[in-house]
Amino acid sequence: MKKFFNPISPIDAPDPFMTYDKTTGYYYCLFTRGECLELFRSRHAANIITDNDSKIIYRFNGEKDGIWGDIWAPEMHKGTNGKWYIYTSGRNQKDPGEKRLFIMEAQSDDPFGEWAFKCKPTPDIFSIDPTVYTAPDGKQYVCYSRVDPTYGQVLDICDMENPYTFGKKVATIAKAELDWEFDPPYVGKYAITEGGFFVERNGRLFIIYSATGCWSDHYCLGVLEHTGGELCDAANWIKHQSPILTYGNSVFGPGHASFFKSPDGSELWCAYHGMKAHNVPVNWAPRYINIQKVDFDESGFPVMGLPVGYETEIDPPSGEIE
C-alpha cells in the first residue's frame, strides 16, 4: 500500500473510532453522524472513508427506543460472549433532552451484517462517550464521560456484568484540574474530560482521554494510568501532568482519539479528529480524521507529541495488503 497524507476523511468526521478485525481482514470506522450510525470498512486504513464502502445500521427512533438524535461518538467492541456491540449515546427527549448511553448488538459474526437496538443501560444518568476494556481475566469495564453538576464532565469507570449490563462498582477517576485541561480564555470554566480510550502496553494500562472543549484549538489528549488493584477505585488511578498530543503543524484541536493495532499486530495507531484552521471564535468547524502511529518510550509510556502535518507522507500500518 502506498504512502498517504492526513487527513484521511474528506468530510466532517468527528469523534472517530477505528479498529482492525483479523477475522474479516477489514478496518472498521464509526464517527459522529448525529441522526444515525453509519459503519465504514476498508482493507486500507487510509481509505476507510474514501472507499465509500459503508452501511447505515441504525436511525434514531424516539417512540420505540427513546433515542431522539444527537448520536455521538460510537465505538464497536467485542463482548465476552463473542458478539460485536456498539456503545454510544443519544438524546433522551425531543428537545432539548439530555444524553443517555445506549447499546447496539450485532446479529451475526460479520460487523457488516444486521444490527439491533439492545438497550439503554442503567443507571439513568447524563453521560456520553462510552468505551470498553476487556481485562486479561475476561472481565469487562466501561468508561464514560458523566455530566456532574459540580465539576462539569468527569470520567467514570464501571464494571460490567455482561456486554450490555453495567455492574454495581463505579468510580470517578478524572475531572478537569490542570491548566491545559481548560480552554485558556476560560480557565475555571468548561471543565471537560471526555472521550476516554483504554490502551494496554507491556503490563501498563492507560486511559487516554480528551480535555477542554472539542471546539477549541487547545483540545488535546491526556493520560490516566492504572497503578494496580481494583479498576473501579479512584485511588488506583493517577493522572499524568502533561498532555501527549497538542495542536501543531496546522492541525488544531487534536482529540477524541481511538487506538487500533496494525494488521500484523506490531504497531499501535491512533485515530483522532482535528481542524484545519484556528477556531478562535469557537464556532462550529469541521473536524477531520487523522491517523498516525504511536511510539512508546523506554518505560512503555505512549509518545505522540504533535500531529503529523498535512504535507507529510505517512507509511501505512504494518502488514496491510497491497
Side-chain angles (χ1 to χ4, degrees), residues 56-79:
I56 293 175
I57 59 176
Y58 176 75
R59 291 188 183 276
F60 79 89
N61 187 329
E63 288 82 1
K64 181 180 178 183
D65 303 326
I67 300 298
W68 295 92
D70 288 344
I71 300 171
W72 295 352
E75 293 190 5
M76 186 175 78
H77 298 274
K78 187 163 282 189

Side-chain angles (χ1 to χ4, degrees), residues 110-246:
D110 183 2
F112 238 55
E114 296 300 313
W115 288 78
F117 184 93
K118 184 66 176 179
C119 64
K120 290 197 289 184
T122 55
D124 184 24
I125 54 176
F126 191 168
S127 49
I128 62 173
D129 298 354
T131 191
V132 170
Y133 168 65
T134 303
D137 64 2
K139 180 72 175 176
Q140 290 192 301
Y141 299 84
V142 60
C143 176
Y144 50 85
S145 180
R146 174 176 57 84
V147 177
D148 185 282
T150 301
Y151 296 110
Q153 283 179 233
V154 301
L155 289 179
D156 285 357
I157 187 170
C158 179
D159 68 336
M160 302 178 74
E161 295 180 6
N162 58 47
Y164 47 86
T165 305
F166 292 2
K168 298 292 190 290
K169 295 179 181 178
V170 62
T172 298
I173 57 174
K175 61 184 179 183
E177 302 164 297
L178 305 172
D179 286 348
W180 54 267
E181 294 180 305
F182 297 92
D183 195 20
Y186 306 107
V187 172
K189 300 181 180 179
Y190 300 109
I192 297 172
T193 54
E194 62 182 10
F197 201 91
F198 291 93
V199 171
E200 195 168 22
R201 175 82 171 192
N202 294 333
R204 298 177 73 175
L205 178 63
F206 309 98
I207 293 177
I208 298 179
Y209 67 98
S210 297
T212 195
C214 62
W215 56 81
S216 168
D217 288 359
H218 299 276
Y219 201 48
C220 61
L221 296 182
V223 182
L224 302 172
E225 183 171 2
H226 180 235
T227 58
E230 170 60 54
L231 268 68
C232 297
D233 184 341
N236 295 335
W237 291 88
I238 60 170
K239 181 186 292 183
H240 288 269
Q241 298 298 294
S242 300
I244 62 165
L245 182 69
T246 58

